[in-house]
Amino acid sequence: MCYHARMDGMNAKDKALLLECVRIAHEAMEKGNHPFGALLADKDGNILMEQGNEFQEGGSAYHAETLLLLKAARKYSPDELQSCTLYSNFEPCCMCTGALYWTNVGRLVFGATEEALLAYTGSNEENPTFSLSSREVVKYGQKSIEILGPTEDKELLEKIVHDHIGFWDAR
């Protein structure tokens, strides 16, 4: 196991790209999906791909991160993906972290934790949240993956959770 974990350590570009994930998540929600958004950026912070949740199309398994990573694996080589970063408004679940691992993306930046998400989703059957962090999943792998998150920027965090406030109660 070799991974680097920092609770925040995010630079301005990381925070700006997390804010883009908030936009993507909001657009997904406006289409009737769950408010989750992810994007893939190259080593310079250029957005290569973006993806919102697609619950309406495929149910609970259509997480933004997994959909994005599967598309990225068809378009980019494992070597190219190793230098990329997956950004997500919330910490990827174990399925999405597995997709990150298997597609060979070398860096993950997320805004709020899986544990924090549970406070919003509760026991909603559309999103049965795991109590398993991405760090814990990666810890048992054999790849070097840098993980940054959650953000300590209170203003950014408020924007990340905004669409989740009351969303799950209304489902």
Side-chain angles (χ1 to χ4, degrees):
M1 180 280 304
C2 181
Y3 77 102
H4 311 284
R6 291 184 286 169
M7 293 311 281
D8 193 323
M10 296 177 198
N11 60 39
K13 177 68 91 173
D14 290 332
K15 291 177 183 181
L17 290 171
L18 280 177
L19 197 53
E20 284 298 307
C21 290
V22 172
R23 175 192 56 79
I24 297 164
H26 185 77
E27 289 173 0
M29 185 183 72
E30 288 181 330
K31 294 176 184 172
N33 296 298
H34 300 164
F36 297 105
L39 65 84
L40 184 70
D42 66 16
K43 65 181 189 277
D44 298 319
N46 299 306
I47 298 173
L48 302 175
M49 305 176 90
E50 58 182 57
Q51 177 70 52
N53 176 279
E54 291 188 3
F55 178 81
Q56 292 296 327
E57 184 175 328
S60 293
Y62 273 47
H63 292 196
E65 302 93 337
T66 293
L67 292 172
L68 181 140
L69 290 163
L70 293 174
K71 290 175 184 177
R74 287 192 295 270
K75 187 170 181 174
Y76 302 102
S77 73
D79 285 342
E80 290 172 307
L81 290 172
Q82 198 339 289
S83 65
C84 292
T85 301
L86 173 69
Y87 290 87
S88 181
N89 60 330
F90 275 86
E91 180 175 19
C93 71
C94 56
M95 174 182 71
C96 295
T97 302
L100 172 105
Y101 180 87
W102 289 110
T103 57
N104 208 41
V105 172
R107 187 169 181 260
L108 167 64
V109 177
F110 64 86
T113 65
E114 180 86 347
E115 182 180 9
L117 178 61
L118 183 58
Y120 297 103
T121 63
S123 59
N124 189 295
E125 64 185 40
E126 289 184 8
N127 194 50
T129 304
F130 274 89
S131 292
L132 184 61
S133 75
S134 58
R135 287 180 175 87
E136 189 69 13
V137 174
V138 169
K139 180 169 84 172
Y140 292 98
Q142 300 175 29
K143 297 181 181 185
S144 179
I145 298 173
E146 180 181 16
I147 300 175
L148 283 80
T151 183
E152 294 175 349
D153 182 323
K154 298 221 184 296
E155 184 178 322
L156 177 57
L157 189 58
E158 286 176 9
K159 291 175 182 176
I160 289 167
V161 302
H162 181 266
D163 284 337
H164 289 266
I165 297 170
F167 177 85
W168 299 99
D169 296 335
R171 304 288 296 175

